[in-house]
Amino acid sequence: MQESPTLAVLNRATTLISQGVDVVDFGPGEPDFATPRVVSEAGKAAIDSGYTKYTAVAGIKALREAIANRYNGSYGLELTQANVIAGNGGKQELFNIMLALVDEGDEVIIPAPYWVSFPDQVEFAGGRPVYATTDADNHFRPTLANIEAVASDRTRGVIINSPCNPSGAVIRGEEIEAIVRWCAERGAFLIFDETYELFVYGENKHVSAMQWFREYPETIIIVNSMSKTFAMTGWRLGYAVAHPDIISALGKIQSHSTSNPSTIAQYAALEALSGAGDEVQKMYEAYRARREWLVPALNAVPGICCADPDGAFYVFPDVSSYFGKGGITDSQSFANFLLDEARVAVVPGKAFGADNFVRVSYATSMERLKEGVARIDAAVRKLG
Ligand code: PLP
């Protein structure tokens, strides 16, 4: 396994920042907000109460039931703790899922652009990532047709991430239903990663594959996280919701790797699920306002073409009009150019399987957004 060379630009940015250089950092994939106070207080209270020992591998009953009940309330299900495993971030559960379900040579379909870890996790498990092309004009929303076009008799599963990191794409309910049915008919699994479920804007609505779980409990595996919704990235708490047999398999793997996720984080997460609604709403409003400012501001920069992303906290502008100018040949050299000439850090789209684009995170203050866009504007104007 290699660290992605396309992320080297972010490492350079980090080095420059540590040297005191004023870099506007549009790289981070994490909220710029503090964890809500009630959540942090619950973490402190857990320590004071002595909740500092091992728990069951899959997490404490109260947390798993709270997660199950959240879905039961929304979708009229009767999930129990047996349907839920908590882990050290959604990332760990995704990793467990690949190890549990993907065998040597199995193909897993991943619509591009995709979150960077999906392909590596599939490969680590011995599988082969197969990329489905999506259409920028359709906001990069994956369709069943996109998936069918690359399916084979080796297809073992499909990964859908909605809202999508990096494109923001929010897949429509009809399309999810069609993909779920297609997976079920072939005996393939559908991993539905809804880590950014809260961050959906305008006319778009988040629809979870959970809506079809009653009918297809052996097909659908939900992955979710406390990281983005509750600004809890460092607590490392995410979870998977699936058929008890799948959860049991994930638990076996987890029992030999990390055991339970941090006990303290579990108690904090339990509080977040019931008591952080107002704080979460405030964060959402801030993201919405930033996005509203950022999309037209980037489009006003000559050469940048920035579609309105459906969700998440990223915009994903097309920067290919600069290719061929000033030594820029791809998203990576464009990102290096911005870092050198504008002291602005963005993530090259190549890392996500979309080389004409860069990812700009607006998980930063409005003031820094304005400064960064002004710097980008000044730098690209020099390219002519
Ligand atoms: N899924 C997606 C699409 C993500 O962007 C991330 C984090 O960036 C994760 C899962 C994992 O998040 P965590 O491990 O912090 O729960």
Side-chain angles (χ1 to χ4, degrees):
M1 251 180 180
Q2 298 280 321
E3 192 175 17
S4 167
T6 49
L7 298 180
V9 61
L10 288 187
N11 296 338
R12 276 188 60 219
T14 308
T15 306
L16 287 170
I17 292 167
S18 71
Q19 290 165 349
V21 178
D22 173 24
V23 173
V24 176
D25 193 0
F26 290 156
E30 66 176 343
D32 55 316
F33 298 101
T35 302
R37 181 171 288 276
V38 286
V39 177
S40 298
E41 291 300 334
K44 291 183 204 165
I47 296 173
D48 292 339
S49 306
Y51 297 142
T52 53
K53 303 290 177 67
Y54 293 135
T55 70
V57 167
I60 56 172
K61 183 166 178 272
L63 177 63
R64 293 164 74 196
E65 284 183 348
I67 292 165
N69 287 335
R70 195 161 166 259
Y71 285 103
N72 290 341
S74 302
Y75 303 105
L77 299 167
E78 291 99 35
L79 305 178
T80 68
Q81 62 162 336
N83 294 99
V84 180
I85 181 168
N88 294 274
K91 194 176 246 180
Q92 183 180 22
E93 292 319 324
L94 284 162
F95 206 73
N96 289 343
I97 293 164
M98 305 310 172
L99 292 179
L101 298 182
V102 177
D103 284 330
E104 207 64 35
D106 282 350
E107 293 181 356
V108 178
I109 298 178
I110 305 173
Y114 47 77
W115 179 50
V116 287
S117 290
F118 292 141
D120 289 274
Q121 292 188 343
V122 169
E123 281 178 354
F124 188 89
R128 198 167 80 82
V130 173
Y131 304 109
T133 310
T134 60
D135 185 356
D137 292 336
N138 186 32
H139 299 219
F140 295 107
R141 295 170 194 148
T143 64
L144 177 57
N146 300 147
I147 288 162
E148 265 184 319
V150 294
S152 81
D153 52 11
R154 306 286 334 239
T155 302
R156 175 77 180 99
V158 175
I159 306 176
I160 297 288
N161 169 216
S162 179
C164 172
N165 172 11
S167 70
V170 172
I171 185 167
R172 294 286 180 267
E174 319 83 79
E175 212 62 52
I176 301 173
E177 183 174 6
I179 294 169
V180 170
R181 289 193 199 289
W182 182 85
C183 286
E185 276 161 23
R186 306 170 65 99
F189 59 78
L190 174 68
I191 299 173
F192 193 86
D193 177 339
E194 53 184 1
T195 293
Y196 292 86
E197 65 175 338
L198 177 81
F199 308 106
V200 174
Y201 311 100
E203 304 287 288
N204 301 292
K205 267 204 161 48
H206 174 67
V207 178
S208 172
M210 212 39 161
Q211 200 164 311
W212 293 275
F213 190 78
R214 183 183 290 283
E215 235 178 309
Y216 300 106
E218 288 166 9
T219 303
I220 298 166
I221 307 165
I222 300 287
V223 174
N224 207 334
S225 172
M226 307 304 291
S227 289
K228 320 285 173 166
T229 307
F230 298 99
M232 288 179 70
T233 43
W235 297 77
R236 307 308 301 128
L237 207 295
Y239 53 90
V241 184
H243 189 284
D245 290 351
I246 296 176
I247 297 299
S248 161
L250 307 185
K252 283 181 196 162
I253 295 167
Q254 193 159 299
S255 75
H256 294 298
S257 54
T258 61
S259 295
N260 60 278
S262 155
T263 305
I264 299 153
Q266 290 186 58
Y267 282 93
L270 187 58
E271 175 61 32
L273 289 173
S274 63
D278 290 350
E279 287 300 304
V280 166
Q281 189 57 31
K282 275 188 220 155
M283 293 190 259
Y284 170 77
E285 293 300 340
Y287 290 124
R288 201 167 59 139
R290 292 170 187 176
R291 173 181 171 282
E292 235 160 65
W293 179 83
L294 181 61
V295 173
L298 280 174
N299 276 320
V301 175
I304 288 191
C305 177
C306 185
D308 228 6
D310 302 334
F313 44 62
Y314 311 106
V315 293
F316 202 53
D318 186 335
V319 296
S320 59
S321 74
Y322 303 116
F323 296 178
K325 293 181 184 172
I328 298 167
T329 53
D330 57 11
S331 60
Q332 194 171 346
S333 47
F334 179 72
N336 275 317
F337 163 81
L338 283 190
L339 190 57
D340 292 334
E341 299 299 322
R343 294 295 191 220
V344 173
V346 298
V347 187
K350 202 174 186 177
F352 311 104
D355 200 19
N356 286 348
F357 299 81
V358 292
R359 190 189 77 175
V360 175
S361 163
Y362 51 89
T364 188
S365 69
M366 193 69 115
E367 189 192 0
R368 293 303 274 172
L369 284 177
K370 289 185 175 170
E371 171 67 22
V373 173
R375 290 188 193 185
I376 294 172
D377 187 84
V380 299
R381 280 177 196 277
K382 288 189 209 142
L383 288 171

